[in-house]
Amino acid sequence: MDHQSPASYQTAVETAWPVGLGTGPGRILLLGPPGVGKGTQAREMERLWGIPHISTGDVLRSKVTQGTSLGRLAQGIMKRGELVPDSLVCEIVATRLQEPDTFCGCIFDGFPRTLGQAVWLEGRLAELGPGSSIIAVGIRMAHKHLLRRITGRRTCPMCQTVYNVYFNPPKREGLCDIDGAALVQRTDDSEQVFEERMRAYEMLSAPVVGHYRALGRFVSVNGDRPIGEIAAEIASTVARLRQ
């Protein structure tokens, strides 16, 4: 586990981001399999650069909670156990991109998930003018490490503290350090579910990676390192591609 302090993390990223390139990295897409740490990197970019983290799942849930027409439509589809179609996902993302906090940049996480979504997003951002293009960053990690990250997770049902039996185990096996409650493993943290999710991710992501690679706007970073080191490499790579 990475215990780098926020101060040292910020120093590492700011050192990697050259003066004169503005205050933020523009629009970035984070790609990577389940458990690789996309959310962690996105949240830190959001904090350091002041650009929003756009998670498709979060935006979708927000629309459902707000009871918007798009949210009601998506909710009906999900209740039937069906996948929300690309056209509706794109329409929901389009409404998010109309909000002022996205005008100087954002971090996409979980979108675009398919080649169709990627092509749509390229067209949508092109309407915003020069400098709106996406840089796609793939975070990679050895399969065995990802498997341990997922299958080793245990959660306290009382305080929701998350442990990992391999990387961050509780002091007493199977019990929460805070309240002593018996830790539980989510059903979708099993090895079988993980392998199914990996196969689905690889099938969907390959065309998206190929799309951005062909455009010269894809980079891959090693995610099996401390958080700050990964962030610094992302910052320096994005800076190089933005020049």
Side-chain angles (χ1 to χ4, degrees):
M1 301 293 290
D2 176 79
H3 298 290
Q4 189 168 13
S5 70
S8 61
Y9 179 104
Q10 183 154 351
T11 298
V13 176
E14 289 179 347
T15 299
W17 188 256
V19 174
L21 279 181
T23 58
R27 292 170 176 85
I28 292 178
L29 164 62
L30 292 180
L31 294 162
V36 80
K38 298 186 301 297
T40 298
Q41 290 298 325
R43 286 189 294 272
E44 290 301 326
M45 287 182 186
E46 182 178 41
R47 180 179 66 83
L48 291 169
W49 282 310
I51 58 176
H53 169 204
I54 299 180
S55 163
T56 314
D58 291 345
V59 175
L60 191 57
R61 284 186 289 272
S62 173
K63 298 299 181 185
V64 170
T65 300
Q66 294 169 11
T68 66
S69 57
L70 291 176
R72 291 193 298 271
L73 183 58
Q75 186 177 35
I77 294 171
M78 291 186 292
K79 280 185 175 180
R80 295 194 298 271
E82 302 171 3
L83 291 175
V84 179
D86 279 1
S87 57
L88 182 54
V89 174
C90 290
E91 193 171 353
I92 289 172
V93 171
T95 63
R96 181 67 180 89
L97 291 175
Q98 292 172 0
E99 298 177 24
D101 65 334
T102 68
F103 292 173
C104 293
C106 59
I107 308 113
F108 291 101
D109 174 11
F111 180 91
R113 192 180 298 274
T114 67
L115 180 58
Q117 291 177 359
V119 171
W120 172 86
L121 185 59
E122 284 294 309
R124 178 69 182 82
L125 294 178
E127 297 172 3
L128 302 179
S132 298
S133 60
I134 281 181
I135 290 177
V137 178
I139 304 176
R140 66 183 187 276
M141 183 177 290
H143 185 277
K144 64 179 181 180
H145 293 163
L146 280 171
L147 181 62
R148 284 189 165 194
R149 277 194 175 193
I150 298 296
T151 61
R153 283 194 299 216
R154 301 293 185 273
T155 305
C156 175
M158 301 295 291
C159 66
Q160 303 305 311
T161 299
V162 179
Y163 300 86
N164 187 291
V165 298
Y166 301 109
F167 307 118
N168 181 36
K171 295 175 182 176
R172 292 181 295 167
E173 184 177 354
L175 300 176
C176 178
D177 294 344
I178 298 173
D179 49 39
L183 302 177
V184 297
Q185 182 182 30
R186 297 185 337 189
T187 55
D188 57 352
D189 281 348
S190 69
E191 183 172 353
Q192 179 182 352
V193 173
F194 169 77
E195 296 295 352
E196 291 172 355
R197 292 176 67 193
M198 283 295 292
R199 284 193 292 272
Y201 167 75
E202 289 167 359
M203 181 179 67
L204 288 172
S205 68
V208 176
V209 170
H211 173 75
Y212 287 107
R213 194 189 299 276
L215 293 172
R217 290 193 265 111
F218 174 79
V219 294
S220 177
V221 300
N222 177 13
D224 194 16
R225 296 175 296 165
I227 293 171
E229 289 184 18
I230 302 168
E233 183 176 355
I234 291 174
S236 61
T237 304
V238 170
R240 174 174 54 82
L241 292 177
R242 289 290 186 208
Q243 289 178 322

